[in-house]
PDB file of all heavy atoms in Angstrom:
ATOM      1  N   SER G 131      17.942   2.604   6.973  1.00  0.00           N
ATOM      2  CA  SER G 131      18.557   3.894   6.646  1.00  0.00           C
ATOM      3  C   SER G 131      17.906   4.533   5.419  1.00  0.00           C
ATOM      4  O   SER G 131      18.242   5.646   5.046  1.00  0.00           O
ATOM      5  CB  SER G 131      20.050   3.674   6.360  1.00  0.00           C
ATOM      6  OG  SER G 131      20.170   2.694   5.336  1.00  0.00           O
ATOM      7  N   ASP G 133      14.893   5.587   2.338  1.00  0.00           N
ATOM      8  CA  ASP G 133      13.826   6.564   2.138  1.00  0.00           C
ATOM      9  C   ASP G 133      12.467   6.082   2.670  1.00  0.00           C
ATOM     10  O   ASP G 133      11.790   6.785   3.426  1.00  0.00           O
ATOM     11  CB  ASP G 133      13.754   6.794   0.611  1.00  0.00           C
ATOM     12  CG  ASP G 133      12.705   7.786   0.217  1.00  0.00           C
ATOM     13  OD1 ASP G 133      12.804   8.933   0.682  1.00  0.00           O
ATOM     14  OD2 ASP G 133      11.796   7.425  -0.544  1.00  0.00           O
ATOM     15  N   SER G 164      24.652   0.774   6.857  1.00  0.00           N
ATOM     16  CA  SER G 164      25.167   2.044   7.396  1.00  0.00           C
ATOM     17  C   SER G 164      25.508   1.889   8.862  1.00  0.00           C
ATOM     18  O   SER G 164      24.769   1.235   9.599  1.00  0.00           O
ATOM     19  CB  SER G 164      24.112   3.144   7.282  1.00  0.00           C
ATOM     20  OG  SER G 164      23.714   3.289   5.969  1.00  0.00           O
ATOM     21  N   TYR G 207      23.607  -7.531   4.250  1.00  0.00           N
ATOM     22  CA  TYR G 207      22.334  -8.219   3.971  1.00  0.00           C
ATOM     23  C   TYR G 207      22.526  -9.708   3.666  1.00  0.00           C
ATOM     24  O   TYR G 207      21.572 -10.473   3.721  1.00  0.00           O
ATOM     25  CB  TYR G 207      21.623  -7.534   2.803  1.00  0.00           C
ATOM     26  CG  TYR G 207      21.296  -6.099   3.128  1.00  0.00           C
ATOM     27  CD1 TYR G 207      21.959  -5.045   2.497  1.00  0.00           C
ATOM     28  CD2 TYR G 207      20.351  -5.789   4.089  1.00  0.00           C
ATOM     29  CE1 TYR G 207      21.670  -3.726   2.820  1.00  0.00           C
ATOM     30  CE2 TYR G 207      20.053  -4.475   4.425  1.00  0.00           C
ATOM     31  CZ  TYR G 207      20.723  -3.448   3.785  1.00  0.00           C
ATOM     32  OH  TYR G 207      20.434  -2.153   4.114  1.00  0.00           O
ATOM     33  N   ILE G 237      14.119  -2.668   1.215  1.00  0.00           N
ATOM     34  CA  ILE G 237      15.420  -2.689   0.531  1.00  0.00           C
ATOM     35  C   ILE G 237      15.189  -2.933  -0.962  1.00  0.00           C
ATOM     36  O   ILE G 237      14.107  -3.377  -1.352  1.00  0.00           O
ATOM     37  CB  ILE G 237      16.296  -3.852   1.081  1.00  0.00           C
ATOM     38  CG1 ILE G 237      15.410  -5.097   1.293  1.00  0.00           C
ATOM     39  CG2 ILE G 237      17.022  -3.462   2.346  1.00  0.00           C
ATOM     40  CD1 ILE G 237      16.146  -6.340   1.664  1.00  0.00           C
TER      41      ILE G 237
HETATM   42  P1  LIG T   8      16.481   2.850  -0.827  1.00  0.00           P
HETATM   43  O1  LIG T   8      17.116   2.912  -2.170  1.00  0.00           O
HETATM   44  O2  LIG T   8      16.486   4.079   0.010  1.00  0.00           O
HETATM   45  O3  LIG T   8      17.174   1.631  -0.085  1.00  0.00           O
HETATM   46  C1  LIG T   8      16.934   1.291   1.272  1.00  0.00           C
HETATM   47  C2  LIG T   8      18.258   0.921   1.925  1.00  0.00           C
HETATM   48  O4  LIG T   8      18.782  -0.238   1.285  1.00  0.00           O
HETATM   49  C3  LIG T   8      19.312   1.992   1.761  1.00  0.00           C
HETATM   50  O5  LIG T   8      19.239   2.940   2.800  1.00  0.00           O
HETATM   51  C4  LIG T   8      20.591   1.200   1.799  1.00  0.00           C
HETATM   52  O6  LIG T   8      20.970   0.999   3.148  1.00  0.00           O
HETATM   53  C5  LIG T   8      20.200  -0.138   1.220  1.00  0.00           C
HETATM   54  N1  LIG T   8      20.586  -0.230  -0.200  1.00  0.00           N
HETATM   55  C6  LIG T   8      20.286   0.638  -1.189  1.00  0.00           C
HETATM   56  N2  LIG T   8      20.803   0.216  -2.350  1.00  0.00           N
HETATM   57  C7  LIG T   8      21.447  -0.931  -2.092  1.00  0.00           C
HETATM   58  C8  LIG T   8      22.166  -1.859  -2.887  1.00  0.00           C
HETATM   59  N3  LIG T   8      22.324  -1.675  -4.203  1.00  0.00           N
HETATM   60  N4  LIG T   8      22.679  -2.944  -2.301  1.00  0.00           N
HETATM   61  C9  LIG T   8      22.516  -3.158  -0.994  1.00  0.00           C
HETATM   62  N5  LIG T   8      21.835  -2.301  -0.191  1.00  0.00           N
HETATM   63  C10 LIG T   8      21.302  -1.217  -0.724  1.00  0.00           C
HETATM   64  O7  LIG T   8      15.024   2.279  -1.011  1.00  0.00           O
HETATM   65  P2  LIG T   8      13.653   2.854  -0.498  1.00  0.00           P
HETATM   66  O8  LIG T   8      13.739   3.060   0.959  1.00  0.00           O
HETATM   67  O9  LIG T   8      13.237   3.947  -1.369  1.00  0.00           O
HETATM   68  O10 LIG T   8      12.678   1.627  -0.835  1.00  0.00           O
HETATM   69  C11 LIG T   8      12.779   0.392  -0.194  1.00  0.00           C
HETATM   70  C12 LIG T   8      11.909  -0.628  -0.932  1.00  0.00           C
HETATM   71  O11 LIG T   8      10.580  -0.161  -0.962  1.00  0.00           O
HETATM   72  C13 LIG T   8      12.312  -0.825  -2.390  1.00  0.00           C
HETATM   73  O12 LIG T   8      12.041  -2.156  -2.743  1.00  0.00           O
HETATM   74  C14 LIG T   8      11.362   0.120  -3.130  1.00  0.00           C
HETATM   75  O13 LIG T   8      11.167  -0.292  -4.438  1.00  0.00           O
HETATM   76  C15 LIG T   8      10.116  -0.006  -2.289  1.00  0.00           C
HETATM   77  N6  LIG T   8       9.248   1.155  -2.350  1.00  0.00           N
HETATM   78  C16 LIG T   8       9.734   2.402  -2.039  1.00  0.00           C
HETATM   79  C17 LIG T   8       8.885   3.492  -2.058  1.00  0.00           C
HETATM   80  C18 LIG T   8       9.378   4.857  -1.699  1.00  0.00           C
HETATM   81  O14 LIG T   8       8.558   5.793  -1.717  1.00  0.00           O
HETATM   82  N7  LIG T   8      10.628   5.047  -1.371  1.00  0.00           N
HETATM   83  C19 LIG T   8       7.456   3.354  -2.409  1.00  0.00           C
HETATM   84  C20 LIG T   8       7.043   1.993  -2.664  1.00  0.00           C
HETATM   85  C21 LIG T   8       7.926   0.953  -2.636  1.00  0.00           C
HETATM   86  P3  LIG T   8      22.471   0.760   3.607  1.00  0.00           P
HETATM   87  O15 LIG T   8      23.371   1.309   2.581  1.00  0.00           O
HETATM   88  O16 LIG T   8      22.551   1.482   4.923  1.00  0.00           O
HETATM   89  O17 LIG T   8      22.570  -0.718   3.767  1.00  0.00           O
END
Side-chain angles (χ1 to χ4, degrees):
S131 55
D133 180 60
S164 303
Y207 299 110
I237 41 173

